[in-house]
Amino acid sequence: MNLHEFQARDLFRRYGVPFTVGEVATTPDEGGAIAARLGGWVVVKAQVHSGGRGKAGGVKVARDAADAAAHAARILGMTIQGLPVRKVLVVPAVEIAAESYLGVIVDRAVQRPVVIASAAGGVDIEEVAARTPQRIHRVTVDPRYGLLPHQALALAFRLHSDLTTARAAAEIAQHLYAAFIGLGASLAEINPLVTTKDGGLLALDAKLVVDDNELPGRPEIAALRDTSAEAPSEQRARAAGLSFIQLQGTVGCCVNGAGLAMATMDLVKFYGGEPANFLDIGGSSNPQKVVAALEIITADPGVRAILFNIFGGITRCDDVANGIVEAAGRLSLNVPLVIRLTGTNEEDAVKFLTGAGFSALTNTDQAVERAVALAPA
Ligand code: GDP
Ligand code: MN
């Protein structure tokens, strides 16, 4: 689950990460009023689930309250990476001497949290990582012991050469690690962590992604979910009880079971195609889910063919076939369907689909090859 910057700031602050305190506005007037209370010189920041807000023009320094209201008016009308901006955060502006990066992620290769730091923080961190990876420093954490003081200090010396500032940065790294663990995060990031003109350290941006599997034990965090800020396709999928992740390819995939869905995506790639999505319709027999799945997949203009891959165990192939025919009747499908079903009630399903004018296969490789041929990447 993605959180907004203002939510992540509040959560990180509880663990001791130093942030300035601001307020959220949903209208330009509100933004101006907050700026007036904060003394006029503020930063107005788009609150959307996307990085690169600064580059997109969604982060602006204002001279006074009127300027802040004007920035808020413009930013509140923006769309950043397809997401409409509905809220802005207004925070006191800071004079920056230097920007660094500090983050914690899970490294799947070593199956441990990794703390990452760079003295080259700010809006170009992706380029820094791509072009000058030697400027990115990492330390792997043993979760039994946490981020040890000497590890934090060694990393902090990559950011600051003087002992006082390095100690302060090490403390912030330990606070951020504690937040990462305490909040059940898969990503906790401060970019930039700035050195101010007086030599102090201050976090100016916060990014937090909480692992969905950690939410059941953390109702307070689960309640922070802002569904209005999520991609429409993902909202619809959650409402319909489907696991769905939007990707950039051309082969829409509708599969039952997460493992088969992953294997299907691998096969699409193997045969030279690109999957347009991950979609698991789950293990139940519910034609409505198939209808919802087809609606979501066909709403993506990048989809050139749709591949069904159904292994009927608890899921009954005839139920899925019903759903397909029902959905195809209701939606005006203008892309070809390739259907592969096998397992429970397979014969009924194939007979029913053939009768309704669809072709159904039982061999996965054949089906995937055909879908890829119909939807070149
Ligand atoms: P992002 O682009 O989505 O990562 O948004 P950030 O919150 O990181 O803001 C982008 C950039 O705006 C930062 O890297 C800073 O360079 C700049 N910025 C943010 N807050 C301030 C501030 O208080 N003062 C100044 N001078 N620049 C700021
Ligand atoms: Mn940032």
Side-chain angles (χ1 to χ4, degrees), residues 211-256:
D211 186 330
D212 284 345
N213 296 306
E214 298 282 346
L215 289 173
R218 293 177 175 80
E220 190 202 354
I221 295 171
L224 295 176
R225 189 189 286 280
D226 181 359
T227 49
S228 73
E230 294 179 339
S233 56
E234 292 180 4
Q235 285 175 43
R236 287 167 69 187
R238 186 167 326 93
L242 305 166
S243 308
F244 174 86
I245 293 165
Q246 182 74 62
L247 301 168
Q248 309 305 318
T250 56
V251 180
C253 299
C254 185
V255 187
N256 70 317

Side-chain angles (χ1 to χ4, degrees), residues 43 45 51-54 59 61 93-94 96 99 122-123 191-192 204-205:
V43 186
K45 313 184 73 177
R53 297 165 304 162
V59 177
V61 180
V94 172
I96 300 174
E99 296 185 285
V123 296
N191 185 33
L204 291 196
D205 185 17

Side-chain angles (χ1 to χ4, degrees), residues 102 115-117 137-139 150-159:
L102 198 57
V115 184
I116 301 172
H137 308 283
R138 307 156 60 92
V139 52
H150 76 272
Q151 292 181 304
L153 193 59
L155 202 58
F157 270 120
R158 304 290 200 163
L159 306 181

Side-chain angles (χ1 to χ4, degrees), residues 98-132:
E99 296 185 285
S100 57
Y101 172 97
L102 198 57
V104 188
I105 54 159
V106 177
D107 184 332
R108 287 169 189 275
V110 295
Q111 303 183 341
R112 292 196 169 181
V114 173
V115 184
I116 301 172
S118 175
V123 296
D124 292 321
I125 191 67
E126 281 88 0
E127 264 170 64
V128 172
R131 294 203 186 149
T132 48

Side-chain angles (χ1 to χ4, degrees), residues 26-353:
T26 52
T27 66
D29 284 352
E30 257 185 278
I34 297 167
R37 280 202 289 283
L38 294 175
W41 187 46
V42 295
V43 186
V44 182
K45 313 184 73 177
Q47 299 297 289
V48 281
H49 293 161
S50 118
R53 297 165 304 162
K55 283 191 172 168
V59 177
K60 291 288 179 194
V61 180
R63 294 181 304 275
D64 54 34
D67 196 24
H71 281 309
R74 237 184 4 83
I75 294 172
L76 285 166
M78 284 176 62
T79 298
I80 299 177
Q81 288 180 15
L83 301 166
V85 181
R86 298 206 169 86
K87 298 184 183 90
V88 290
L89 173 65
V90 182
V91 284
V94 172
E95 240 185 291
I96 300 174
E99 296 185 285
S100 57
Y101 172 97
L102 198 57
V104 188
I105 54 159
V106 177
D107 184 332
R108 287 169 189 275
V110 295
Q111 303 183 341
R112 292 196 169 181
V114 173
V115 184
I116 301 172
S118 175
V123 296
D124 292 321
I125 191 67
E126 281 88 0
E127 264 170 64
V128 172
R131 294 203 186 149
T132 48
Q134 70 277 11
R135 301 186 73 187
I136 309 280
H137 308 283
R138 307 156 60 92
V139 52
T140 302
V141 180
D142 185 327
R144 289 171 297 184
Y145 311 124
L147 179 64
L148 296 169
H150 76 272
Q151 292 181 304
L153 193 59
L155 202 58
F157 270 120
R158 304 290 200 163
L159 306 181
H160 301 282
S161 50
D162 77 285
L163 181 62
T164 312
T165 319
R167 277 198 177 132
E171 241 176 73
I172 292 172
Q174 286 189 288
H175 294 325
L176 186 65
Y177 181 80
F180 174 86
I181 296 296
L183 298 167
S186 54
L187 170 88
E189 189 182 273
I190 302 169
N191 185 33
L193 172 66
V194 303
T195 316
T196 57
K197 281 279 153 74
D198 61 11
L201 294 181
L202 201 53
L204 291 196
D205 185 17
K207 186 166 168 61
L208 172 63
V209 181
V210 174
D211 186 330
D212 284 345
N213 296 306
E214 298 282 346
L215 289 173
R218 293 177 175 80
E220 190 202 354
I221 295 171
L224 295 176
R225 189 189 286 280
D226 181 359
T227 49
S228 73
E230 294 179 339
S233 56
E234 292 180 4
Q235 285 175 43
R236 287 167 69 187
R238 186 167 326 93
L242 305 166
S243 308
F244 174 86
I245 293 165
Q246 182 74 62
L247 301 168
Q248 309 305 318
T250 56
V251 180
C253 299
C254 185
V255 187
N256 70 317
L260 186 60
M262 296 297 285
T264 304
M265 288 161 54
D266 283 347
L267 267 183
V268 168
K269 287 219 166 219
F270 178 80
Y271 284 111
E274 285 293 334
N277 63 280
F278 167 94
L279 194 156
D280 171 14
I281 60 167
S284 76
S285 291
N286 181 351
Q288 280 320 113
K289 280 198 174 178
V290 180
V291 174
L294 265 181
E295 277 173 358
I296 292 163
I297 294 175
T298 52
D300 174 359
V303 169
R304 311 261 295 274
I306 299 172
L307 170 66
F308 272 83
N309 192 6
I310 304 298
F311 182 79
I314 297 169
T315 303
R316 290 168 35 186
C317 293
D318 55 330
D319 275 339
V320 175
N322 264 315
I324 293 172
V325 173
E326 189 181 326
R330 208 189 295 174
L331 308 163
S332 47
L333 285 184
N334 48 16
V335 292
L337 284 185
V338 179
I339 304 162
R340 180 261 178 172
L341 315 115
T342 194
T344 309
N345 295 355
E346 155 187 331
E347 297 81 5
D348 290 349
V350 170
K351 204 183 294 167
F352 180 68
L353 283 169

